[in-house]
């Protein structure tokens, strides 16, 4: 207790000798404190016990507040000594004091500029004896400076001024690192140094630093898709790109994609650089930078062909309707894949009728996947024909080739019919081939009069279906010479579906028998013949095609003879009439009974008879029906038996065999 009283008393007395005189114990510093040169350091001849001096309040270190005061006032002091001092008292520093040290500008940066060349000595110069004013030292917080490194200094980064060798494992280094001294540039900083507008030399060094330290320093921070800084050199001088915007496949340059410089391609995978663009980016580039020449297009299409396996359905759908195929080298004319075809030497179409392209085997494979076809589909062919029918007729081999095209359309009507808008166009378009038969007299003059004897000349004309007539009666065709459809079943079905009508439906016939109806030997013989041949006449026609049955034909139809029959015909669309004599017709009396009338003149005209019967019995009569029935009526049974053996498919075998058995053959 006595000792404590003595220490307490001495603590209040200026009893400590210093280089600035006697000081209170708490104002005095041990000789080991050398941080600031103007501190009152003890000057004992023989120093008392250290423990006693400390108990009295003598200082073995500079209080931190004094350090901060000196730092704020920018006094003249050695930062190296400060670091050593702070290192020695590190264990006594609070977290608040550490935080304050981090925020305080304490440390100078290394001056990388060359010192100015001193002026030459001149004894006569009035200023030669005057020293230059001292340059104030600019200081920085530790977290704005980097460790003293030649590599970092070469990058132009601010490194801390350091005297002597820097040892990263020393206590001083550990303290500075704790205060925020930087060991390496962050990813953002190094990318900024590697990009414009940094000087080329610094950019190159920064990129080298990034590549050499990537795996140890930057892997976790680096996400290629999120880096918007263009720092990667490409094959184009002074053109830099981002990782997401550059590629290491040199072939990408054909579409003007940035290609990584050759010496850097070994790092492409590490930096997350793709070999080639994704399909979506390829399509975007193709739509914005279409090839202006055919040669350029071939290169691009061959390049794009390498990625066919990567394209999805929606990519192909977009390509089909994208006008990117050049038709010439003007850079102005482009066509969509779905609207052009490959140029083929064996094509059935004149080259001027279709938009054709050819970019070589490899490029064409890609275009084929895009939708370019070898030849038009049935629907496309129809669209082309109905929009330019005269071109197809006149420039594609004439009538026969045009008929061939119409046959193709007819055979695919089951598909075309599903396109309602197209069918509507077909009905309105004059694309169907009509035939008009004109008879030339021996002098070469044309005439539509069917009574003239001469050569028949067929004239062809394109017209709408409603203007063309289907021929189911050649006699009517010869009389009225309308614009007629070719007599082919496929084409007739096509014409009829688009609005053509059968000529028999457009002709009004009026039979005018002259004189009284009589039963004669001629009429009786014909009645017997019809009853006899009735099974043969109807054997090839199912019941749904008949207006009357076999029983009706053999029991109800009566044959009579009249002196003369006048047949008047009127072609309803034009009102043209024609009257002539005929040898047979069917009439109905007031009791609604049917009569087959014949005239007595000359030999029996079995064709007129067969034609009259066919009009009565069949719901839809064709010319071949009249011809066949004429043969059935005019031929002997022996001859018919031979004909049936030859072509049983034309008759129902049961009826035929039964008929011959009944008559003893």
């Amino acid at each position: 207790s006595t000792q404590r009283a003595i220490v307490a008393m001495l603590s209040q007395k200026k009893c400590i000798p210093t280089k600035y005189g006697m000081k209170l114990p708490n104002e005095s510093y041990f000789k080991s404190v050398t941080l600031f040169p103007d501190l009152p350091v003890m000057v004992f001849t023989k120093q008392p016990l250290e423990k006693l001096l400390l108990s009295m309040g003598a200082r073995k270190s500079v209080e931190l507040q004094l350090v901060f005061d000196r730092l704020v006032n920018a006094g003249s002091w050695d930062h190296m000594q400060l670091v050593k001092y702070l290192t020695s008292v590190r264990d006594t520093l609070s977290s608040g004091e550490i935080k304050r040290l981090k925020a305080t500008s304490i440390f100078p940066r290394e001056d990388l500029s060359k010192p100015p060349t001193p002026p030459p000595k001149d004894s006569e110069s009035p200023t030669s004896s005057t020293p230059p004013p001292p340059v104030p030292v600019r200081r920085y917080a530790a977290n704005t400076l980097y460790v003293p490194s030649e590599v970092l200094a070469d990058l132009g980064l601010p490194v801390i001024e350091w005297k002597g060798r820097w040892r990263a494992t020393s206590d001083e280094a550990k303290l500075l690192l704790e205060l925020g001294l930087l060991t390496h540039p962050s990813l953002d900083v190094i990318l900024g140094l590697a990009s414009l507008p940094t000087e080329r030399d610094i950019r190159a060094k920064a990129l080298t630093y990034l590549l050499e330290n990537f795996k140890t320093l930057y892997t976790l921070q680096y996400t290629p898709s999120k880096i918007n800084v263009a720092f990667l050199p490409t094959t184009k001088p002074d053109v830099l790109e981002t990782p997401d915007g550059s590629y290491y496949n040199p072939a990408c340059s054909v579409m003007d994609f940035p290609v990584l410089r050759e010496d850097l391609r070994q790092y492409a995978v590490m930096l997350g650089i793709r070999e080639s663009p994704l399909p979506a980016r390829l399509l975007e580039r193709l739509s914005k930078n279409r090839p202006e020449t055919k040669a350029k297009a071939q290169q691009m299409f061959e390049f794009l062909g390498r990625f066919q396996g990567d394209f999805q359905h929606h990519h192909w759908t977009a390509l089909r309707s994208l006008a990117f195929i050049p038709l010439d080298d003007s850079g102005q004319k482009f066509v969509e894949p779905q609207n052009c075809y490959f140029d083929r030497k064996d094509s059935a179409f004149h080259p001027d009728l279709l938009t054709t392209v050819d970019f070589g085997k490899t490029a064409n494979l890609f275009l084929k996947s895009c939708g370019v076809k070898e030849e038009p589909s049935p629907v496309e062919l129809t669209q082309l024909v109905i929009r330019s029918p005269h071109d197809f007729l006149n420039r594609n081999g004439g009538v026969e080739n045009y008929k061939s095209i119409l046959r193709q359309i007819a055979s695919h009507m089951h598909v075309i019919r599903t396109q309602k808008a197209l069918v509507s166009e077909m009905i309105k378009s004059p694309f169907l081939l009509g035939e008009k038969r004109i008879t030339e007299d021996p002098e070469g003059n044309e005439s539509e009069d069917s009574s003239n004897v001469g050569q028949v000349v067929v004239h062809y004309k394109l017209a709408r279906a409603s203007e063309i007539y289907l021929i189911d009666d050649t006699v009517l065709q010869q009389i009225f010479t309308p614009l007629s459809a070719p007599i082919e079943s496929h084409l007739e079905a096509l014409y009829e579906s688009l609005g053509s009508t059968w000529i028999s439906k457009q002709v009004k016939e009026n039979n005018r028998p002259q004189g009284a109806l009589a039963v004669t030997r001629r009429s009786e013989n014909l009645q017997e013949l019809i009853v006899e041949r009735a099974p043969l006449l109807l054997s090839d026609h199912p019941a749904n095609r008949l207006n009357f049955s076999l029983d009706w034909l053999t029991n109800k139809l009566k044959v009579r003879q009249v002196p003369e029959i006048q047949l008047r015909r009127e072609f309803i669309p034009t009102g043209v009439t024609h009257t002539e004599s005929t040898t047979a017709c069917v009439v109905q009396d007031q009791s609604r009974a049917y009569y087959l009338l014949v005239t007595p003149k000359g030999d029996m005209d079995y064709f007129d008879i067969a034609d009259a019967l066919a009009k009565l019995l069949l719901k839809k009569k064709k010319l071949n029906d009249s011809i066949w029935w004429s043969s059935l009526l005019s031929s002997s049974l022996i001859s018919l038996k031979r004909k049936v053996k030859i072509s049983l498919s034309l008759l129902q075998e049961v009826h035929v065999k039964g008929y011959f058995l009944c008559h003893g053959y």
Side-chain angles (χ1 to χ4, degrees), residues 237-277:
D238 294 326
V239 175
L240 306 180
E241 249 310 332
T242 63
D244 195 47
S246 57
Y247 307 93
Y248 66 87
N249 179 2
C252 294
S253 61
V254 74
M255 292 189 71
D256 294 328
F257 283 108
V259 177
L260 191 64
R261 202 172 65 198
E262 185 175 3
D263 61 305
L264 300 176
R265 292 171 194 166
Q266 58 182 313
Y267 305 106
V269 175
M270 180 181 75
L271 295 174
I273 300 171
R274 292 189 181 91
E275 179 180 7
S276 302

Side-chain angles (χ1 to χ4, degrees), residues 458-473:
V458 181
H459 291 246
Y460 295 95
K461 179 184 177 181
L462 294 175
R464 289 185 289 272
S466 60
E467 300 170 335
I468 301 174
Y469 299 92
L470 303 169
I471 303 304
D472 56 352
D473 191 325

Side-chain angles (χ1 to χ4, degrees), residues 475-526:
V475 174
L476 298 180
Q477 181 187 31
Q478 294 171 6
I479 293 173
F480 297 109
T481 63
L483 195 59
S484 308
I487 303 177
E488 297 181 26
S489 58
H490 279 333
L491 294 182
E492 287 174 341
L494 170 65
Y495 283 53
E496 186 175 17
S497 69
L498 297 177
S500 294
T501 57
W502 295 94
I503 191 171
S504 63
K505 301 294 183 183
Q506 297 297 321
V507 175
K508 185 188 298 182
E509 292 189 351
N510 185 12
N511 291 292
R512 298 176 180 176
Q514 307 293 320
L517 279 63
V519 177
T520 65
R521 185 63 183 167
R522 188 184 186 96
S523 67
E524 290 177 342
N525 290 340
L526 181 57

Side-chain angles (χ1 to χ4, degrees), residues 319-368:
L319 282 168
R320 287 187 184 93
S321 57
L322 180 63
F324 67 89
I325 304 176
L327 296 177
D328 52 31
D329 291 341
S330 67
Q332 302 296 322
K333 296 180 179 180
F334 296 88
V335 67
E336 304 87 348
Q338 63 185 9
N339 291 329
C340 63
Y341 308 91
F342 290 117
D343 188 6
R344 292 172 45 195
K345 294 181 180 179
D346 60 344
S347 174
F349 304 101
H350 190 281
D352 292 341
L353 296 175
L354 304 178
T355 301
T356 58
V357 296
D358 183 9
F359 292 92
K361 183 178 180 180
T362 303
N364 285 352
L365 288 175
F366 167 71
L367 293 178
K368 185 175 183 178

Side-chain angles (χ1 to χ4, degrees), residues 527-588:
Q527 182 86 62
E528 292 176 1
L529 180 63
I530 291 173
V531 171
E532 179 185 74
R533 306 293 171 91
L536 293 177
L537 294 175
L538 303 184
S539 63
D540 200 29
H541 301 281
N544 60 356
R545 284 194 60 194
L546 298 174
N547 292 319
F548 300 98
S549 66
L550 175 61
D551 181 67
W552 184 92
L553 177 59
T554 57
N555 295 297
K556 299 295 184 180
L557 182 65
K558 304 301 180 183
V559 180
R560 297 292 185 266
Q561 181 175 303
V562 293
E564 185 179 0
I565 302 173
Q566 288 292 316
L567 174 58
R568 182 181 184 276
R569 297 183 177 96
E570 179 185 354
F571 190 46
I572 298 172
T574 62
V576 175
T577 61
H578 179 271
T579 303
E580 65 177 1
S581 297
T582 185
T583 64
C585 72
V586 173
V587 296
Q588 190 177 20

